[in-house]
Amino acid sequence: MINNLISFFGANSKFHLLKIFVIFGLAGSLSVIISDPLLHLITIENYISNKFFYWVIRLILIFPIYQFVLIAVALVFGEFSYFKKFFIKFINYFKIN
C-alpha cells in the first residue's frame, strides 16, 4: 500500500512521502486559519448576515489562499519544485484566453 502511495504521489522514498503529506496538511490548516482574519479585514460580516453565505464565501476564499500557502510551506520544507506543478495548474485554470 505504501508503495502505491509513493508511486501515486511521485515520491522518492517513504520519508519524501511523509514530507509531502506534512506539507499538504500544514498548508490546509494554515489556509483555514488565515481565511478568518482576512474575512474580518474586509468586514464581510457587514454585507452578509446569513451564516450559510458567509461560509460559502469563506470556502471560496480558502481555495486560492491554499495555493499560495502551499507554495510558501513547500519553500520552507525545500520542496518547491515538487509543488510548483500544483500551483501552475491552478494559475492555468484561471487563465483567460
Side-chain angles (χ1 to χ4, degrees):
M1 173 145 168
I2 292 290
N3 291 331
N4 292 339
L5 287 172
I6 289 172
S7 65
F8 180 78
F9 284 99
N12 302 328
S13 65
K14 291 178 185 176
F15 179 72
H16 189 231
L17 182 67
L18 177 66
K19 207 160 131 177
I20 291 168
F21 287 161
V22 167
I23 292 170
F24 275 127
L26 283 174
S29 299
L30 286 174
S31 63
V32 169
I33 291 169
I34 291 171
S35 71
D36 191 44
L38 191 59
L39 285 173
H40 288 302
L41 182 68
I42 59 175
T43 61
I44 198 76
E45 296 88 10
N46 295 342
Y47 305 109
I48 297 175
S49 60
N50 189 336
K51 284 290 185 187
F52 174 76
F53 291 121
Y54 172 82
W55 281 100
V56 168
I57 290 173
R58 186 171 178 180
L59 289 173
I60 291 170
L61 184 65
I62 286 173
F63 184 68
I65 290 173
Y66 175 77
Q67 302 302 320
F68 290 101
V69 171
L70 182 64
I71 290 296
V73 173
L75 262 170
V76 170
F77 279 86
E79 291 291 333
F80 176 76
S81 60
Y82 179 83
F83 287 94
K84 185 172 69 171
K85 64 183 173 186
F86 294 104
F87 187 72
I88 290 172
K89 240 192 239 185
F90 172 74
I91 295 298
N92 287 335
Y93 180 75
F94 289 106
K95 192 179 286 187
I96 299 171
N97 291 326

